[in-house]
């Protein structure tokens, strides 16, 4: 995961890179480091822990001013989160500095080779080997322009695994070279007020959004050289020239800032009505039909689908679980939902008439990417639902539906999740439309309901004071259970995940009907149990059964926290705490019932004194 920044240009590269690292810290905060190239010398500073630790080091021992620098914020894989293992790593001759995101799978073999050549390693990372190999390859590369890029290509041809590498060489002022394989990297191209060109590298555009919106997408297995005089040159690993795709970033710098909120997560929760509206924008036709022109699958291909898999990780997986209910109901196509890390290992049955929907906020989650590639190898059609433009997953998919939620910085996903659910509704309804599974007026009625979702979420957000007070009162809870039926079940899973990842409280989500088959045993006097109640207008039996479940847990001493729609009186006698949400059609209800659970987890974590945006042990792809 890790965040990478590089800069070449007239500004003070130290400041530009540190600013970029601040924006990328959500990608990892086990350590941070920076290397600057000034007067033919490389100087590095690095420190375990959050970026603030590095900033303290720099305040005491400033680096020399420079116009070329690279930086890194780490999520540890090989080697613990120590100063020694922090990036950048410098080659034994002190001439090459390198930062890395990903895992070099054959590093042990390469390390042994370097050690046989007399190189002493100073860290336990897989990355360090890349620095030493680069120094050796540079020595052998022909002198002249492009020498460092040639060295990088030679090294990349030997590396296995996934990696983004950015390197600088003491003999090459004004030049940075980077490479990517199955790990993200974007190039930013800007100019200062006086028209001087400047170049940026970043794991994502947040790294340089304060300076430029002009970006270049890099493909798989490509090497890019950015040079103050020669500009940008892209090749593949064999040296063949490649024309990169230019695009304009549609996020602005303010969107990547906290905007007055204590936490990015709070800001992102508040942005949910807008995120949903933006995801719907331009996709709901004036006659109540769906317009998904960007889905590059022909009507015939969509009609031929006989099975759907939804594949994703974490919160995005929960969006997939919700998608199953809607897509099966509207299209009658069987849908299986699977965590991406399991998908390719169990040899799922896929063929040309299978649609695989991959859902990913970042578009870079490795397990999801690998699942996508597996699906394509098996000739399935792949549709990506993704938030990050220009990322790998949409690029490698047959079709893409972007969620337009804007940058999501907090590690725990909120607005991306709601917009993923909405995007899944759009896909399901579009399939129903193309395949003629619903009458036009039926589709128009659901489209009308979708249009109301941003307002419904805004109304939930207006009434969160009591949820916050409740959160403060739950800060010492040992275990919290979440129960739901039908679409309320994935919402329960998401509520439990949010509490675990933010507040480090043991939490579990269950299908409420499973309660009596085991989980009910953990309920003790005062155990908080959050119940997501379906609308009384859903299937009568489902609502009634959930109301019975509330009574069952309460009878065993549970403190019941009930999320129910406005006007549902049946739950009132059994709710110790009642959280109201607006009346919403059954299948769309997760978009509103999830919101109080996000606020609750955020408040509990804050009360417990934890870093809400950067929970321990986690990072964003
Ligand atoms: C995890 C994040 O690492 O990745 C979750 O903590 C996220 O918030 C999951 O849902 C999947 O990420 P993505 O980018 O593929 O949706």
């Amino acid at each position: 995961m890790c965040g990478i920044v590089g800069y070449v240009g007239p500004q003070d590269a130290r400041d530009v890179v540190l600013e970029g690292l601040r924006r990328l810290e959500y990608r990892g905060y086990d350590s941070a480091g920076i290397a600057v190239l000034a007067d033919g010398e490389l100087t590095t500073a690095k420190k375990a822990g959050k970026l603030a630790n590095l900033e303290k080091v720099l305040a005491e021992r400033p680096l020399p001013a420079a116009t070329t620098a690279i930086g890194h914020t780490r999520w540890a894989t090989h080697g613990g989160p120590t100063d020694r293992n922090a990036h950048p790593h410098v080659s034994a001759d002190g001439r090459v500095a390198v930062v890395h995101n990903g895992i070099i799978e054959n590093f042990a073999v390469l390390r042994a080779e370097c050690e046989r050549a007399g190189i002493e390693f100073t860290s336990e990372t897989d990355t360090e080997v890349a620095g030493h190999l680069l120094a050796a390859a540079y020595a052998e590369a022909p002198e002249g322009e492009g020498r460092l890029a040639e060295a990088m290509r030679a090294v990349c041809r030997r590396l296995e695994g996934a990696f983004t590498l950015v390197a600088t060489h003491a003999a090459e002022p004004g030049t940075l070279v980077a490479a990517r394989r199955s790990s993200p990297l974007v190039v930013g191209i800007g100019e200062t007020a006086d028209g001087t060109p400047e170049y940026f590298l970043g794991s994502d555009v947040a790294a340089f959004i304060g300076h430029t919106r002009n970006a270049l997408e890099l493909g798989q297995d490509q090497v890019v050289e950015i040079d103050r005089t020669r500009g940008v040159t892209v090749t593949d690993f064999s040296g063949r020239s490649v024309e990169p795709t230019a695009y304009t970033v549609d996020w602005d710098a303010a969107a990547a800032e906290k905007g007055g909120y204590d936490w990015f997560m709070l800001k992102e929760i508040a942005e949910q009505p807008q995120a949903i509206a933006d995801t719907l924008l331009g996709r709901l036709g004036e006659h109540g039909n769906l317009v998904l022109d960007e889905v590059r699958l022909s009507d015939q291909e969509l009609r031929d689908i006989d099975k759907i898999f939804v594949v994703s990780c974490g919160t995005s997986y929960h969006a997939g679980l919700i998608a199953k209910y809607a897509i099966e109901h509207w299209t009658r196509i069987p849908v299986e939902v699977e965590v991406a890390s399991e998908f390719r290992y169990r040899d799922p049955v896929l063929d040309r008439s299978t649609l695989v929907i991959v859902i990913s906020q970042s578009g870079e989650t490795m397990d999801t990417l690998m699942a996508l590639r597996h699906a394509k190898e098996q000739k399935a059609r792949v549709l990506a639902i993704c938030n990050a433009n220009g990322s790998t997953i949409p690029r490698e998919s047959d079709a893409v539906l972007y969620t337009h939620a804007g940058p999501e910085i907090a590690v725990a996903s909120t607005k991306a999740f709601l917009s993923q659910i909405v995007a899944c509704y759009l896909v399901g309804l579009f399939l129903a439309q193309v395949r003629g599974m619903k009458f036009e007026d039926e589709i128009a009625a659901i489209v009308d309901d979708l249009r109301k979702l941003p307002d419904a979420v805004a109304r939930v957000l207006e009434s969160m004071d009591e949820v916050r007070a409740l959160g403060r009162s739950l800060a010492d809870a040992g275990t919290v259970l979440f129960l739901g039926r039908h679409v309320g079940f994935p919402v329960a899973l998401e509520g439990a995940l949010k509490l675990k990842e933010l507040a480090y409280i043991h939490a579990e989500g269950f299908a409420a009907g499973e309660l009596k088959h085991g989980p009910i045993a953990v309920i003790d006097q005062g155990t908080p149990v959050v119940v997501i109640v379906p609308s009384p207008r859903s299937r009568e039996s489902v609502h009634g059964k959930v109301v019975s479940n509330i009574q069952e847990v309460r009878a065993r001493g549970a403190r019941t926290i009930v999320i129910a729609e406005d006007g549902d009186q049946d739950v009132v006698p059994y709710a110790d705490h009642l959280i109201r949400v607006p009346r919403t059609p059954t299948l769309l209800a997760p978009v509103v019932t999830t919101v109080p659970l996000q606020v609750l987890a955020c408040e509990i974590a804050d009360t417990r004194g934890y870093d809400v945006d950067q929970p321990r042990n986690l990072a964003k792809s």
Side-chain angles (χ1 to χ4, degrees), residues 1 75 311-318 359-369 385-388 393 408 410-414 416-417 420 494 497-498 501 615 617-621:
M1 298 205 227
W75 188 77
V311 184
S312 40
C313 300
T315 291
S316 299
Y317 167 68
H318 295 156
I359 307 177
S360 176
Q361 187 286 129
S362 60
E364 300 291 350
T365 298
M366 188 53 60
D367 284 320
T368 309
L369 179 60
I385 291 179
C386 186
N387 195 40
I393 287 174
E408 192 177 67
V411 167
S413 181
T414 53
F417 177 59
Q420 285 166 348
E494 174 61 9
L497 177 63
K498 278 283 159 290
E501 63 184 341
N617 304 338
L618 292 172
K620 234 173 166 65
S621 287

Side-chain angles (χ1 to χ4, degrees), residues 199-235:
Y199 303 95
F200 307 82
L201 292 165
S203 300
D204 71 47
V205 296
F208 52 76
I209 191 72
H211 301 276
T212 182
R213 289 185 177 198
N214 297 324
L216 293 180
E217 232 176 73
L218 291 180
Q220 270 297 83
D221 287 9
Q222 291 183 357
V223 167
V224 59
E225 179 199 69
I226 58 173
D227 181 274
R228 278 192 76 176
T229 46
R230 293 194 300 280
V232 179
T233 313
V234 183
T235 66

